[in-house]
Amino acid sequence: AQRVTQPEKLLSVFKGAPVELKCNYSYSGSPELFWYVQYSRQRLQLLLRHISRESIKGFTADLNKGETSFHLKKPFAQEEDSAMYYCALSSSGGYQKVTFGTGTKLQVIP
Amino acid sequence: DVKVTQSSRYLVKRTGEKVFLECVQDMDHENMFWYRQDPGLGLRLIYFSYDVKMKEKGDIPEGYSVSREKKERFSLILESASTNQTSMYLCASSPLGLAGYNEQFFGPGTRLTVL
């Protein structure tokens, strides 16, 4: 079974402060991991994916297989980063089932 | 631009009614998904389909069924709506390919209230 855990329901930071949204996973195979974001009144959309090793809007995420984590980080939070963030895991074979975490609401205080 | 559309943004139904939620995507994606989104519970997978007429149960299929007669359309059916099915329902699609690249594209959601 695959599982994604986001321990924080709400994370409040001041503008300009560093951000770290935690994500831990459980999966027996080789995981494919994603971060999705939902801004107020907008659709859920992909923020970044592990396989691309990209930085999007200043956010990065590193897969740590030893700690089974995929934390999302940004060095300096902006007000426009306020949103709901979901970590997701896709199974690498078969039907590519995707499991989402419970989400973390990021609130950036001006 | 990938478009995933859902038939209604808001829906109010009565307990016991049969409810149909429709989802259409225009990018020829093989995979389609239905989730429900509840505060504190995140997105939970109800059903998914990887091809026409094919379906797989997700994590919470009880009380729901699905239909995929055409590649672009995936319907979620509540056979007899109950109040605990009041929720936001999200449809998504993704192409079949390398798992690491199978980004899901989401619809705007349908907020269903069962009275």
Side-chain angles (χ1 to χ4, degrees):
Chain A
Q2 57 195 67
R3 190 174 197 162
V4 176
T5 303
Q6 293 179 253
E8 302 140 329
K9 287 191 177 180
L10 173 67
L11 182 65
S12 296
V13 302
F14 285 102
K15 179 181 172 182
V19 174
E20 183 177 50
L21 299 170
K22 290 184 166 47
C23 172
N24 289 91
Y25 66 89
S26 172
Y27 182 58
S28 56
S30 184
E32 297 298 344
L33 289 148
F34 305 81
W35 277 98
Y36 284 80
V37 62
Q38 189 169 30
Y39 301 103
S40 179
R41 293 190 171 80
Q42 293 189 28
R43 300 181 185 211
L44 195 60
Q45 59 187 288
L46 179 72
L47 178 63
L48 57 78
R49 67 191 104 204
H50 153 249
I51 199 167
S52 303
R53 301 189 189 282
E54 58 208 339
S55 174
I56 304 291
K57 299 185 179 182
F59 285 98
T60 59
D62 291 319
L63 176 61
N64 185 324
K65 289 190 176 181
E67 295 183 359
T68 58
S69 67
F70 189 58
H71 302 328
L72 184 69
K73 298 178 184 178
K74 184 170 182 177
F76 308 104
Q78 303 297 317
E79 288 180 65
E80 55 266 31
D81 297 329
S82 294
M84 194 74 179
Y85 291 80
Y86 293 95
C87 183
L89 181 153
S90 172
S91 55
S92 48
Y95 302 133
Q96 297 180 353
K97 178 185 171 186
V98 179
T99 300
F100 284 80
T102 51
T104 298
K105 183 174 182 179
L106 175 63
Q107 182 180 59
V108 180
I109 304 164
Chain B
D1 213 20
V2 175
K3 275 280 176 58
V4 180
T5 57
Q6 295 183 229
S7 49
S8 307
R9 290 302 304 273
Y10 299 94
L11 210 51
V12 180
K13 296 291 181 180
R14 297 215 173 268
T15 302
E17 280 193 79
K18 191 168 185 175
V19 182
F20 293 86
L21 302 182
E22 305 283 339
C23 175
V24 177
Q25 52 95 2
D26 65 359
M27 284 302 290
D28 202 35
H29 286 168
E30 288 80 5
N31 299 325
M32 295 189 75
F33 307 80
W34 275 108
Y35 297 90
R36 58 178 287 176
Q37 182 181 33
D38 299 289
L41 298 177
L43 272 71
R44 292 179 291 166
L45 182 64
I46 304 171
Y47 267 97
F48 65 104
S49 169
Y50 52 93
D51 202 353
V52 175
K53 295 192 187 296
M54 306 303 285
K55 61 186 178 185
E56 288 289 327
K57 291 181 180 179
D59 300 313
I60 51 164
E62 296 80 18
Y64 303 94
S65 62
V66 290
S67 172
R68 191 159 181 210
E69 297 297 318
K70 293 186 177 181
K71 191 175 184 180
E72 67 270 18
R73 188 179 297 269
F74 192 35
S75 303
L76 180 69
I77 303 153
L78 286 68
E79 295 289 343
S80 177
S82 63
T83 54
N84 62 13
Q85 291 178 311
T86 291
S87 185
M88 173 69 86
Y89 289 87
L90 298 181
C91 175
S93 71
S94 72
L96 184 66
L98 285 175
Y101 290 100
N102 59 346
E103 170 187 354
Q104 297 204 340
F105 294 86
F106 284 85
T110 295
R111 184 166 293 283
L112 172 67
T113 302
V114 182
L115 302 175

